[in-house]
Amino acid sequence: MATEFHNLQELRHSASLANKVFIQRDYTEGTICRFQTKFPSELESRIERSLFEDTVKTLNNYYAEAEKIGGQSYLEGCLACTTAYLIFLCMETRYEKVLKKISRYIQEQNEKIYAPRGLLITDPIDRGMRVIEISIYEDRGSSGSSSGSSSTTSSSGR
Amino acid sequence: MPACAGERFKPSAYIPVATAACLLVGSSTLFFVFTGPWLAERICLAVPVCAGVVFFFVLANFTMATFMDPGVLPRAGEDEDKDDDLRAPLYKNVEVRGIQVRMKWCTSCHFYRPPRCSHCSVCDHCVEDFDHHCPWVNNCIGKRNYRYFFLFLLTLSVHMLAIFSGGLLYVTEHLEDLWALEATVTVVVMSISGLFFLPVLGLACFHLVLVARGRTTNEQVTGKFQEGVNPFTKGCYGNVKSVMCSPLSPRYIGKQRKKTPIKIQPPFKRPESDRETPVKIRDNGVQTNIIPNKAVEGVNEPDSQRLSTPPPLPPKPDPVLLRNHLAALEESLLYSRSSFPSAQPAGTLRPSLDPLSKLGPLSSREEVRQTMETIMQTGARTQDFSSDPNLGFPSSTMPLNSLTLNSRSLSLRHAHRYRDRPPLSSQTSEALTSTGLASQSLRLSPSVLTSRGSSLSYDSLLGPGENGSQRGLPLLGYQAPYFPLDSGGLVLGLSRGPEPQRHSPHTRSPVFMGMTRQSPQPREPSPVRYDNLSKAIMASIQERRELDERDKLTQRHSPAALGYAPDAGVYDTPSRRSLPPEGFRGPPSRGPTPPAYGSREFLMSSAAYGYGSRVGLSCSSTSSLSRAPRIACSSTSSLSRTPRNNSCSSTSSLSRAPRTSSSPLQSHPPGGITTQDRSLSPSYHSIECHLQESPSAMPYSPTSYATPRGLSFISDTETRDEPP
């Protein structure tokens, strides 16, 4: 926003955690895993709404795919039952495979989109699939008017 | 048996599971050793083989039910729960398929329990889709292991039936020699299986019904859906399918996932939308190179924006000075016209204001313009503003330009405020445009003004009576330098605007529309910046407004200086530290909300179990309820955002999260909530406490369960529920 004020020679930047936003679960369709796509106000000045919504919608789709009840999940259950569930020791369930995909996706999103904007998404599985935690980082330790701008924007996170 | 959150080792907890395991394994082994071979010979080899397969499944499901994580939710980190426990409401409503479901705050785990989640007091953690805590497997039955528990029951029933039948067959064939070893063992095994068969079969049938109806034991026992609708059911077939065929949910705790660290290095990108704001401003006919800034949108940023218009810009305003001046201004607006002359500093152009006074609130554009020109002519020669040496603005030379500029600035302010207004015409017809803008801004003013206090009410503007002409709008002091003849400059009908202004304290706010009287109070002059100053002024006006509102709210809601009325309910001021009123203290002061689904039966069941004993909760209900809509009230205090409120408003909040979740709270009158729910707010814990005390009152216990074992099983499961 105030990039024109930046004097690259003077900048000594470090990021510090300013705030965390929690995207809650959307229970309107029952207890399936879905997250709300409502854009939180703290991110107004940090990221484009469309990017955020895309991320959440993709995550929702992944979770829907993981929890889909169908032939594959039934066969998996039967197979597990017949082997006295020993198969769980050897094989990865479909849900776990999708979780790995989700984790890769979140990593990629963080690297490409969120980290350049000073944000960080935490995998919901670490929070018991209750919330998506987005950490907001602020520019700290920079000099000149850029600090003014960052303090301006950081007010949104406070 | 998973490790409990509490690290105490309780041997007594392992007795039921050890007993069950021993009985199961022991009896079955004896059966296969002593009775099996005879059955293989007498009937068919397939009989003991099938029994063996069934026994194999029984063991597998028993092991899974015992050792599998039921769906434990990890405790929330401290940063997730920004509010104090005292501040967040006890319940949060969420809508599931059109039905209001209540989520309760878990004091141990520090989050609002998702629907169908419950806290197991034995294991001391929240379990997703909590069914019950089974002592026979010493484990909670929840989302992940309910299928295995259900299959265990079914297979165990079949297995017991098979053993009993096989043993019966053997005994009938060996009646003459029952004291032989095999016969004795068979009789013992038969009696064990016969003894436990009926309770196990009863439990299996009970769970069969639960699965078909899509309920958990917890929901059935607490009578949640007795008269309500179950929002979680998917139809009989759907429910069975989801129990039997759904994929295995992942574990939430205990897994250490490898994470690649991500580097976050400033400078950070910002969204493009911030740069769009100046475009809108330009469309309003204002010639600017506006640097995008949040301050443009009316936030308190007095010094961060400037309009790069041709005239030289005065230095930045002093916000403190501006506020003082603003305070003085507002006071002055209440002064009568009679005191006006005496307060005028020397050289102010009182006569110049007379033409303005002739303007009524609905003056036409032309009238306004002519009046302005008159003022310009009469006041052109007087340079009154010595307070601001920087304002070397020869008003005599370009009064009209200044007017234009002022109008532009005004329209700029309004552009921020009323962005949906159509862009105004170009600057070519400046004079007309400016006055048009002015009057447009004037037209805007009523809506702005009426929201304000009395000193700025439109009514006061309309009535040019003894006070009407004295009242005006807070001075947008930037105009002062351009109308030095009326030392207050002209206020073009604005009470707010994003531009900061250095404001001469003694410049009043003669309203352009005819509220042209200057404030009678003498004020010391101060330098005036015609554009940036107004922002500071407006910011300070806003602050005062916020303070006023807050005060009003406090006065409305709490007669006491600090506190708030217990019945304030959803209208409590969020920013206020919700100190609970004396006499309503309970431990964590949370209050109940109206019952969620199955509300009527909820009330009934609560009353039936004598909920009144939950005094602590009910006493604190009102206070916490008043706190509840801390989130819901965010709109009223949106201007007075504290960091806490910000976090609240966004998320949910938890508690906060979505405001929709608090809307049901909002819809209830505070008094209603207080009176109704004090005695009737349902809580699993209280109900289960009562269940424990009066097992005979359990609604669902089937007649076949009249055995002590069945009852103890059920009452045991209920005892181990939520903590107080």
Side-chain angles (χ1 to χ4, degrees), chain B residues 330-506:
Chain B
E330 289 182 325
E331 289 169 15
S332 74
L333 294 175
L334 302 173
Y335 277 59
S336 67
R337 185 177 185 164
S338 56
S339 60
F340 166 77
S342 59
Q344 284 305 310
T348 54
L349 194 66
R350 188 168 324 134
S352 69
L353 296 178
D354 290 335
L356 289 179
S357 66
K358 296 195 186 88
L359 292 173
L362 302 175
S363 306
S364 71
R365 288 188 184 189
E366 277 310 304
E367 286 174 16
V368 164
R369 192 168 80 82
Q370 287 163 7
T371 310
M372 290 306 302
E373 287 176 355
T374 312
I375 291 172
M376 288 298 107
Q377 289 154 16
T378 52
R381 282 163 297 282
T382 310
Q383 181 74 25
D384 184 52
F385 254 90
S386 56
S387 59
D388 185 11
N390 296 323
L391 284 183
F393 211 100
S395 62
S396 58
T397 55
M398 32 193 302
L400 201 56
N401 283 345
S402 58
L403 171 59
T404 306
L405 213 49
N406 298 339
S407 310
R408 251 188 245 139
S409 309
L410 279 170
S411 60
L412 174 67
R413 280 199 293 276
H414 282 298
H416 305 314
R417 281 280 147 209
Y418 307 94
R419 247 175 237 152
D420 52 344
R421 301 187 69 82
L424 299 176
S425 55
S426 71
Q427 304 148 19
T428 52
S429 58
E430 278 183 349
L432 196 56
T433 305
S434 63
T435 51
L437 292 177
S439 42
Q440 200 171 28
S441 56
L442 286 173
R443 281 198 292 275
L444 295 173
S445 61
S447 58
V448 166
L449 292 175
T450 45
S451 63
R452 244 325 236 154
S454 60
S455 66
L456 305 175
S457 66
Y458 190 45
D459 296 337
S460 68
L461 291 179
L462 285 174
E466 70 284 11
N467 289 329
S469 54
Q470 260 50 269
R471 300 190 186 221
L473 305 167
L475 171 64
L476 308 180
Y478 76 95
Q479 297 176 347
Y482 310 108
F483 302 99
L485 302 177
D486 49 300
S487 57
L490 284 174
V491 177
L492 299 184
L494 287 181
S495 68
R496 62 173 78 181
E499 298 167 357
Q501 279 187 352
R502 171 86 45 99
H503 197 64
S504 161
H506 79 287

Side-chain angles (χ1 to χ4, degrees), chain B residues 47-86:
Chain B
V47 168
V49 168
C50 286
V53 168
V54 171
F55 176 61
F56 170 75
F57 283 127
V58 170
L59 273 187
N61 287 309
F62 177 73
T63 311
M64 290 298 270
T66 303
F67 294 107
M68 177 168 264
D69 184 326
V72 172
L73 291 171
R75 286 186 151 87
E78 286 175 3
D79 47 11
E80 191 176 336
D81 173 26
K82 290 199 184 73
D83 300 323
D84 289 340
D85 282 350
L86 282 174

